[in-house]
Amino acid sequence: MSRSAHPAGPRHADVLPEGHYAAPPADLNALVPKVWARTVRRGADGALTVGGIGVAELAREFGTPAYVLDEEDFRARCRAWRDAFGNEASGNDADVFYAGKAFLSRAVVRWLREEGLNLDVCSGGELTTALAAGMPPERLALHGNNKSADEIDRAVAAGVGRIVVDSLQEIDRVAAAAARHGVRQRVMIRVTVGVEAHTHEFIATAHEDQKFGLALADGTAAEAVRRVLAQRSLTLAGLHSHIGSQIFDLAGFEVSARRLVALLAAVRDEHGVELPELDLGGGHGIAYIPADDPREPHEIATALREIVARECGAAALGAPRLSVEPGRAIAGPTAFTLYEVGTVKPLAGLRTYVSVDGGMSDNIRTALYDAEYSVTLASRASGAEPMLARVVGKHCESGDIVVRDAWLPADTAPGDLLAVPATGAYCRSMASNYNHTPRPPVIAVAHGTARVLVRRETEEDLLRLDVG
Ligand code: LLP
């Protein structure tokens, strides 16, 4: 449908969004596959199904809002990453560490274990979850720019495979913990390589001005190498870099790889050691909206392998064992948030505000990063005209927006279910209890069966923390 055919078109002239949302899609009921988990379909009755289960049934059984996660998709994404990086054809010469901060639960840890992935944790809480779900400690990496003494101690005691050191002070702390436990701890050094990555682009300026890592440019990273090598209770496994998040352009990773290989060569020249491992971090972008165009794991793997092989060849270094740390690219597309519409408020000459029963407490990303999402009417198909809508939450804040610009059928009404795709990463894990709102459950669906991974919080849970 052309915009002029839209009855509300002229009234919306001043507020029409730009880019992808400037005009309604040809068919409001159509699902663009790349923003949805693999098994999501619109069924014969017009309602969405996932893993063969209809959303109305999920809402009845588990309530709304709820994060609905497609287990088959999660596992398939794990396999795609593992096959791209750690496959037998390449001699299993690379490792995939899932970044648990994107979303972690005990079931997720089991899936990772079964699918052959390793796991990054960045807090004592994530470490506890990983160990509780039986992840072998040697397949864990501990991250963080200010790990507590207790976190370091627990990680060393558990026998984690690597601790990624992020400051000069931390080198002494990890060394002391390892000495106390009578072990040699494998560590990597997180290097600030001077690439600042943004969504859709990267720029190589202002890069040192952030809290993570040890700077390459001023020699701190090289000093960290000296200090780690001087500690008898530490083994330096290699170098690490993470350049940012939701990145589509592989050029940033390539620059990072080049600079890290140059440092590997400098370490070889200064110390006579070839460090065996190189971790290029996470940050691989996903499709939140149809306009997003993410790279596939095998494309990423090919590009990174090539650049590392070329640079190592030029520096006469053996190729190090590679690792990557995708979080969002595995978890993000696997879940959608299911909401129920509570109120529909047309604002004359502006847009229609559609309020749902969740909001910034279950998805802070729109408010925090201006993140873009899409949304669809999930409980039924509709042949109604498109209306320019804003999907907002129920919190006491006007910035409580879930989807800033959306085209929804004009007959969207209270009681309808809406689904917001690509909420599997950094939504439940960043959820809050703002306005004393209990956090939604995570429901996993696979092969016609739904089960609770993380149960819904209750108001009693909140009261239990309030000890008076
Ligand atoms: N490795 C390290 C060392 C990281 O710091 C991160 C993310 C990752 C891997 C995984 O990045 P991913 O592949 O998921 O982009 N809350 C923000 C994202 C913060 C990411 C922090 N570090 C968001 O919602 O976009």
Side-chain angles (χ1 to χ4, degrees), residues 97-102 120 122 143-144 164 190 212 240-247 279-285 288 324-330 364-365 368-369 371 373 425-427 429-430:
F97 285 76
Y98 169 72
K101 67 201 78 176
D120 264 5
C122 70
H143 277 278
V164 182
R190 178 161 175 171
F212 291 108
H240 171 282
S241 141
H242 172 76
I243 58 171
S245 261
Q246 184 57 4
I247 301 162
D279 186 330
L280 295 173
H284 319 96
Y288 283 101
V324 284
E325 304 174 328
R328 182 191 328 263
I330 290 176
I364 190 65
R365 298 192 67 262
L368 196 55
Y369 311 118
Y373 283 91
Y426 303 111
C427 286
S429 68
M430 295 177 80

Side-chain angles (χ1 to χ4, degrees), residues 53 57 96 103 118 146-147 152 211 230 234 242 319 381 389 391 432:
I53 304 186
E57 186 183 335
V96 180
F103 171 64
N118 296 353
N146 186 18
K147 305 170 189 74
I152 291 171
K211 70 175 182 172
L234 302 181
H242 172 76
V391 178
S432 78

